[in-house]
Structure formats: C-alpha cells, structure tokens
Amino acid sequence: MRIQVLCFPNNKPWITKELKKLLNKKKQAFRMKDRELLKSVQKELNLRENKEAYRRKLEGKLQQNKAMALWAGMKQITGFKTKQQAVGAV
C-alpha cells in the first residue's frame, strides 16, 4: 500500500516530508490508542533538530549576505503578508 504525503504551504518551513510522515504516523498511533507505537514514534520525532537546522540555514544566508532570501524565510515563519493595493480605484 502506497501512502501519499502532502506538504502544504501553511506548514512551517522546517516541516519536511519525512517529518510529516512521522507526524501522520503519530496521529494514527494516537487514534488506534497504541501506546508502544506512539512512544516509539515520539522518540523518532526530532522537531527541535529540524528547527535548529532551519535556523542554521537562515543564519548561513545572513552570513552570505543573502538578505532577500533571509527575509523571505522570516516572513514565511511569521506568516507576514503585505496588504494588496486596490488597482484602478477611482
């Protein structure tokens, strides 16, 4: 059986496909009330490591003077969106 894992744009940038698979596996174990599987999946989950890797990636962009890419990442993390101007308003 093949399961398709989708990553949506509203996911945080440090959520990878592999991490998403583990999160889905954790949800499934919780729904089945399988404590042993739930504990093992939680041990595999490394959210802190993924966040740390993403932070290092952003710091690398800052050190390489890639400010545009850095700010794009910061906007994605914070959910900041610019207001759209009305075009042709009279």
Side-chain angles (χ1 to χ4, degrees):
M1 181 168 97
R2 187 173 177 179
I3 297 175
Q4 184 177 9
V5 177
L6 301 175
C7 285
F8 296 99
N10 61 346
N11 286 340
K12 297 296 181 191
W14 56 83
I15 303 291
T16 61
K17 286 185 179 183
E18 294 79 26
L19 190 61
K20 189 72 174 178
K21 284 181 186 178
L22 284 173
L23 288 170
N24 287 340
K25 192 174 180 182
K26 180 183 171 187
K27 284 182 193 177
Q28 186 180 24
F30 182 77
R31 278 190 230 123
M32 293 187 319
K33 298 178 181 164
D34 185 353
R35 287 183 166 231
E36 295 302 317
L37 180 61
L38 186 62
K39 283 183 183 181
S40 67
V41 172
Q42 283 177 335
K43 286 180 183 178
E44 289 179 53
L45 277 175
N46 50 5
L47 287 173
R48 285 188 183 148
E49 290 177 17
N50 284 336
K51 285 182 182 181
E52 183 67 24
Y54 187 73
R55 184 185 62 80
R56 284 192 303 270
K57 180 180 170 184
L58 287 181
E59 286 176 350
K61 287 179 182 178
L62 182 61
Q63 290 172 352
Q64 296 171 1
N65 288 330
K66 294 184 179 181
M68 188 175 193
L70 174 71
W71 282 111
M74 294 299 286
K75 285 180 182 179
Q76 187 177 13
I77 290 172
T78 60
F80 179 79
K81 293 184 181 181
T82 57
K83 293 181 181 178
Q84 294 183 355
Q85 298 283 332
V87 179
V90 180

